[in-house]
């Protein structure tokens, strides 16, 4: 029991230092990326395009932001359609 009490302040100090380092990290590391893609609305039944629309996504890394934007585009499609031939239009930090 005595050793447990002497280790506790050390653990508390280490955790406090670790948390303070995490708070002092650069602000841009936590902002992430916003991506926009433009996709063709593709009818599956006859493989024909029916206009364009945009998908938007956010993630911590650029590749994940592009994937999230494409997923958003596919999630917007009603039954019988899907997003196809997506073009990366814009990506911004934050």
């Amino acid at each position: 029991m005595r050793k447990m009490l002497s280790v506790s302040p050390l653990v508390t100090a280490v955790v406090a230092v670790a948390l303070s380092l995490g708070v002092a990290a650069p602000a841009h590391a936590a902002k992430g990326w916003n991506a926009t893609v433009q996709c063709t609305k593709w009818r599956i039944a006859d493989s024909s395009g029916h206009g364009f629309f945009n998908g938007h996504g956010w993630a911590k890394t650029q590749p994940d932001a592009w994937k999230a934007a494409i997923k958003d585009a596919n999630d917007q499609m009603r039954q019988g359609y899907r997003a196809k031939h997506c073009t990366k239009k814009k990506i911004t930090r934050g």
Side-chain angles (χ1 to χ4, degrees):
M1 183 103 143
R2 199 149 183 67
K3 287 184 181 180
M4 185 75 150
L5 292 176
S6 64
V7 172
S8 179
L10 178 62
V11 170
T12 304
V14 169
V15 169
V17 169
L19 289 176
S20 68
L21 289 176
V23 172
H28 64 82
K31 287 186 179 180
W33 294 89
N34 291 312
T36 302
V37 295
Q38 184 180 30
C39 303
T40 303
K41 183 177 180 181
W42 198 258
R43 186 166 41 199
I44 297 170
D46 61 356
S47 294
S48 61
H50 295 272
F52 297 96
F53 63 96
N54 293 330
H56 306 281
W58 180 90
K60 295 273 186 187
T61 64
Q62 284 184 352
D64 289 342
W66 290 124
K67 288 177 190 175
I70 292 170
K71 182 182 182 321
D72 177 57
N74 271 314
D75 289 347
Q76 292 179 38
M77 291 294 98
R78 62 183 188 176
Q79 192 169 357
Y81 291 85
R82 72 181 186 100
K84 192 169 181 180
H85 303 297
C86 295
T87 305
K88 298 175 181 177
K89 289 295 183 183
K90 183 174 87 169
I91 190 160
T92 56
R93 186 103 177 157

